């Protein structure tokens, strides 16, 4: 099959990443210092793919015989995944020595998972969604248990694996039913036959099962039980990747496949989405208050954030989809920043993870305390940081979509969540330190945190132009 | 005379529900994993049924992808279970509870 050179340029990010994976495997096989080379090699690969996607964001095309879509929203997601993964690699340079998983495979698995995420974001066919989802999930199961000597990590990866495979079962059965009703796996064909099938039980059951499967992956309320355990048990940097890249990829797949369905005049899935959204927001925000471990607290906060994002899906209009994309971009960088600082403060053998370890941080390390405060304010959704605009766009879309009550619940839940975010800031600035641990310097980790900080500030300064760019692709 | 399509769909739905019930009620990690495989196979049966009744080969192609992915998942999953068994000498998910479940 001959492809045109334009198609080649469109899939260049995929080619860069795939080539990078193969070369990384060779480096891992033949070099004795692969653990030192691979992080920097991965960062180069991710930056190349990420910047290339961002530069070609305006060249829209459907390639690979209608399997993949590039340009527009998928390219924005590619940028988010690649940059998120690059920041994760930068954080891991010093962290995985502390954690006891100093293997080169770690970086190769991150690269493979990003390739899977990119397949999901650009999918034009249910095949691509399924393959992308599995490529991402299987590397995540292995990444969660990277330190196989540690029981916590074993347990986290077992839980992630069992529940992730369970969710895959739902997704595959949903795809089978959708295929049976629509007679095709192509998303364009399925979209075209939506109006005719709005009363077809097999089709609706299929979409519902598909959504339930993805609710596991985005960590929405009734399907959230793996989240805190997996984040606590796995490496902190990896937990950061799970909560940002994994969540963004699952949302990108829902947007790629089902957004036209939600935009229809008869939005049959609105009640389901509204219910899981309300439950996730309130459950996440309230349970996070009672957590003592900062990784568990961030896990519950990530459940609440999934709830806010689902508001955009429930609204179903273009404003909602654009709001989710902006929110995910902002959330990726602020959450990676927060997890990054947790990984810098964490000591050998997963110590210093209690909230009390953060008491008096402003005296010990004013820089880290300042950065963590900014990330906490951004996660809480206080202006002028990126998190505020993410929430703002999503809530506005709910008002436009005539589900104002959902936006009101969202605002109430944000108000509750301010308590546990600000509690950390109060601990850092107004309490005295109780434990005398020292924070190991890591210039690579510091650089990663500062890059995320600058992106969070940047998205807070120019939210208008970013949201205009995203909206221009939807019309 | 053909077997009606409903027979296959009911069988696969039954298999799927058996798999879900197995995941939710059984406590041995390997049995849970087998139940998940049952869910995937029920999806395969549905895909083949639709494919044959619609007269469109895409569904059967999809089954190959599902089987490949199931094999990859089994490889990683069993490795995870073995790593856990080395550390803890148990398969029972109720006893795997250092982290709050």
């Amino acid at each position: 099959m001959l492809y045109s050179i334009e198609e080649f340029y469109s899939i260049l990010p995929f080619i860069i990443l795939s080539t990078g994976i193969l070369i990384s495997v060779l480096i891992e096989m033949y070099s004795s210092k692969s653990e030192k080379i691979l992080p920097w090699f991965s960062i180069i690969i991710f930056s190349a793919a990420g910047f290339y996607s961002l530069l070609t964001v305006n060249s829209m095309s459907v390639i690979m015989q209608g399997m993949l879509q590039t340009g527009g929203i998928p390219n924005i997601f590619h940028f988010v995944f690649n940059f998120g993964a690059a920041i994760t690699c930068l954080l891991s340079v010093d962290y995985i020595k502390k954690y006891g998983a100093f293997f080169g495979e770690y970086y190769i698995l991150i690269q493979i998972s990003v390739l899977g995420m990119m397949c999901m974001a650009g999918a034009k066919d249910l095949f691509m969604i399924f393959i992308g989802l599995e490529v991402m999930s299987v590397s995540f199961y292995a990444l969660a248990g990277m330190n196989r000597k540690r029981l916590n990590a074993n347990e986290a990866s077992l839980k992630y694996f069992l529940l992730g495979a369970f969710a895959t079962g739902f997704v595959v059965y949903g795809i089978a039913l959708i295929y049976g009703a629509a007679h095709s796996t192509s998303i364009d064909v399925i979209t075209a036959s939506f109006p005719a099938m709005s009363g077809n039980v097999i089709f609706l059951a299929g979409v519902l099962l598909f959504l339930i499967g993805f609710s596991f992956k985005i960590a929405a309320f009734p399907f959230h039980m793996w989240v805190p355990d997996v984040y606590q048990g796995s490496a902190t940097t990896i937990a950061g990747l799970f909560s940002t890249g994994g969540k963004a990829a699952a949302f990108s797949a829902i947007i790629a496949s089902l957004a036209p369905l939600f935009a229809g005049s008869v939005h049959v899935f609105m009640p389901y989405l509204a219910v899981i959204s309300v439950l996730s927001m309130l459950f996440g925000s309230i349970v996070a208050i009672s957590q003592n471990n900062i990784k568990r607290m961030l896990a519950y906060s990530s459940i609440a954030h999934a709830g806010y994002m689902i508001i955009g899906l429930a609204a179903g209009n273009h404003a909602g989809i654009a709001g989710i994309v902006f929110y995910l971009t902002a959330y990726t960088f602020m959450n990676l920043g927060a997890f990054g600082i947790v990984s810098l403060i964490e000591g050998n053998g997963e110590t210093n993870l209690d909230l009390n370890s953060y008491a008096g941080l402003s005296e010990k390390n004013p820089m880290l305390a300042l950065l963590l405060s900014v990330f906490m304010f951004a996660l809480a959704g206080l202006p002028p940081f990126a998190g505020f605009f993410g929430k703002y766009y999503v809530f506005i879309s709910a008002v436009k979509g005539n589900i104002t009550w959902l936006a009101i619940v969202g605002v109430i839940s944000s108000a509750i969540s301010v308590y546990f975010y600000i509690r950390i800031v109060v601990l850092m600035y107004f309490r005295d330190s109780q434990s005398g641990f020292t924070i190991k310097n890591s210039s690579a980790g510091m650089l990663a945190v500062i890059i995320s900080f600058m992106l969070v500030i940047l998205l807070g300064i120019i939210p208008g132009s970013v949201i205009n760019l995203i909206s221009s692709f939807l019309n | 005379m053909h077997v009606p399509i409903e027979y296959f769909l009911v069988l696969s739905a039954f298999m799927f529900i058996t798999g879900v019930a197995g995941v939710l009620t059984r406590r041995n990690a390997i049995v849970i994993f087998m139940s998940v495989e049952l869910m995937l196979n029920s999806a395969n049966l549905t895909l083949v049924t639709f494919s044959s009744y619609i007269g469109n080969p895409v569904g059967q192609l999809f089954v190959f992808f599902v089987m490949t992915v199931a094999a990859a998942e089994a490889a990683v999953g069993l490795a995870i279970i073995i790593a856990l068994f080395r550390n803890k000498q148990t398969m029972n998910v109720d006893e795997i509870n250092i982290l709050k479940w």
Side-chain angles (χ1 to χ4, degrees):
Chain A
M1 185 73 214
L2 266 177
Y3 295 105
S4 62
I5 193 76
E6 286 78 19
E7 275 194 27
F8 175 77
Y9 286 129
S10 306
I11 56 165
L12 200 54
F14 289 84
I15 294 174
I16 295 173
L17 202 53
S18 318
T19 319
I21 292 168
L22 296 176
I23 296 174
S24 305
V25 172
L26 287 178
I27 295 177
E28 167 64 28
M29 268 166 73
Y30 291 112
S31 163
S32 53
K33 282 191 279 181
S34 61
E35 303 88 358
K36 298 211 172 76
I37 303 167
L38 277 179
W40 303 106
F41 183 69
S42 320
I43 290 164
I44 293 169
I45 296 289
F46 287 138
S47 314
F51 274 120
Y52 187 83
S53 306
L54 199 61
L55 290 175
T56 54
V57 73
N58 282 317
S59 57
M60 318 273 273
S61 58
V62 175
I63 49 171
M64 294 290 189
Q65 299 163 340
M67 280 281 174
L68 262 184
Q69 181 193 15
T70 57
I73 305 261
N75 269 30
I76 294 176
F77 274 120
H78 292 176
F79 170 75
V80 171
F81 302 147
N82 279 299
F83 247 63
I87 291 174
T88 310
C89 289
L90 210 48
L91 285 169
S92 308
V93 172
D94 291 310
Y95 175 78
I96 58 169
K97 276 183 230 161
K98 270 196 295 204
Y99 181 69
F102 197 41
F103 311 124
E105 292 91 340
Y106 175 93
Y107 298 101
I108 301 175
L109 284 169
I110 293 181
Q111 290 174 8
I112 298 174
S113 70
V114 171
L115 187 65
M117 293 175 199
M118 284 167 66
C119 290
M120 280 161 91
K124 266 285 176 194
D125 196 292
L126 295 177
F127 266 97
M128 287 309 286
I129 292 195
F130 175 64
I131 297 295
L133 176 70
E134 284 310 299
V135 169
M136 179 190 88
S137 304
V138 172
S139 3
F140 274 3
Y141 305 149
L143 275 173
M146 203 65 213
N147 186 344
R148 61 179 186 280
K149 299 263 159 56
R150 199 182 282 281
L151 198 49
N152 269 356
N154 292 154
E155 191 178 330
S157 71
L158 181 73
K159 284 175 180 173
Y160 198 11
F161 165 69
L162 288 179
L163 289 167
F166 187 49
T168 303
F170 280 96
V171 171
V172 177
Y173 197 61
I175 289 177
L177 293 181
I178 294 173
Y179 166 71
H183 296 195
S184 170
T185 53
S186 158
I187 287 170
D188 284 338
V189 176
I190 297 171
T191 310
S193 46
F194 275 157
M197 289 189 300
S198 55
N200 185 329
V201 178
I202 290 184
F203 179 73
L204 294 182
V207 175
L208 192 63
L209 286 168
F210 186 81
L211 269 179
I212 289 176
F214 272 100
S215 307
F216 273 98
K217 302 287 174 185
I218 59 180
F221 169 67
F223 317 107
H224 67 282
M225 52 298 214
W226 56 274
V227 180
D229 295 346
V230 170
Y231 289 8
Q232 189 188 352
S234 46
T236 308
T237 46
I238 287 303
L241 187 67
F242 289 168
S243 68
T244 57
K247 196 191 289 280
F251 267 107
S252 73
I254 295 179
I255 290 172
S257 54
L258 297 179
L261 176 63
F262 298 146
S265 51
V266 192
H267 188 353
V268 271
F269 295 101
M270 206 280 277
Y272 170 78
L273 291 169
V275 166
I276 63 169
S277 156
V278 167
L279 291 175
S280 316
M281 289 188 291
L282 293 176
F283 178 82
S285 305
I286 292 169
V287 178
I289 293 175
S290 65
Q291 297 303 317
N292 264 327
N293 181 305
I294 186 148
K295 277 161 86 178
R296 285 187 89 84
M297 192 206 88
L298 286 170
Y300 282 104
S301 111
S302 115
I303 295 170
H305 281 283
Y308 301 128
M309 291 171 206
I310 298 170
I311 293 181
L313 288 181
N317 43 24
H318 283 171
I321 304 297
I324 295 178
V325 177
F326 183 87
Y327 199 145
L328 279 169
T329 313
Y331 176 74
T332 297
F333 296 117
M334 59 203 187
N335 211 33
L336 269 178
F339 270 106
I341 292 180
V342 173
S343 77
L344 289 178
I345 291 173
E346 185 177 332
N348 289 333
E350 295 180 54
T351 45
N352 306 341
L353 287 170
D354 281 355
L355 289 186
N356 285 333
S357 317
Y358 288 79
L361 189 68
S362 63
E363 286 163 19
K364 222 179 273 176
N365 195 329
M367 182 72 178
L368 277 185
L370 178 71
L371 290 171
L372 187 55
S373 317
V374 170
F375 291 129
M376 286 298 145
F377 287 138
L379 282 169
L382 301 182
F385 302 111
F388 167 75
F389 293 101
K391 276 184 187 156
Y392 171 77
Y393 290 128
V394 170
F395 292 162
I396 285 292
S397 79
V399 175
K400 280 184 192 155
N402 288 327
I403 39 173
T404 313
W405 63 273
L406 202 51
I408 294 171
V409 178
V411 172
I412 293 171
S413 159
S414 312
I416 299 172
S417 70
V418 168
Y419 171 77
F420 61 84
Y421 291 124
I422 301 298
R423 185 172 58 173
I424 294 197
V425 179
V426 170
L427 271 173
M428 287 191 301
Y429 281 93
F430 302 107
R431 294 279 188 285
D432 290 330
S433 175
Q434 288 155 353
S435 48
F437 65 90
T438 51
I439 297 160
K440 267 194 199 149
N441 251 340
S442 155
S443 39
M446 210 55 207
L447 178 66
V449 172
I450 288 170
I451 292 173
S452 351
F453 168 77
M454 287 186 340
L455 283 163
V456 169
I457 297 289
L458 185 72
L459 285 170
I461 296 171
I462 50 156
S465 43
V466 176
I467 202 93
N468 284 341
L469 178 74
I470 298 168
S471 310
S472 68
F473 297 128
L474 285 165
N475 298 323
Chain B
M1 180 149 160
H2 282 296
V3 181
I5 188 169
E6 286 81 5
Y7 287 23
F8 292 103
L9 293 185
V10 168
L11 173 65
S12 63
F14 180 72
M15 272 167 76
F16 186 76
I17 292 166
T18 313
V20 173
V23 172
L24 296 178
T25 55
R26 302 304 293 267
R27 284 286 148 264
N28 183 310
I30 300 236
V31 178
I32 293 178
F33 183 50
M34 281 163 62
S35 306
V36 168
E37 294 290 315
L38 194 60
M39 287 165 70
L40 292 178
N41 282 332
S42 81
N44 284 349
L45 182 59
T46 317
L47 281 165
V48 172
T49 308
F50 279 128
S51 174
S52 133
Y53 275 78
I54 298 165
N56 170 338
V58 173
Q60 298 190 25
L61 209 57
F62 208 108
V63 170
F64 283 106
F65 281 78
V66 175
M67 289 195 299
T68 317
V69 161
E73 240 178 24
V76 173
L78 292 177
I80 290 171
I81 293 174
I82 288 172
L84 183 73
F85 190 76
R86 282 205 182 129
N87 279 340
K88 183 123 184 178
Q89 266 75 44
T90 179
M91 291 277 168
N92 189 328
V93 291
D94 283 337
E95 290 169 32
I96 303 167
N97 54 3
I98 316 174
L99 311 165
K100 283 175 271 169
W101 173 262

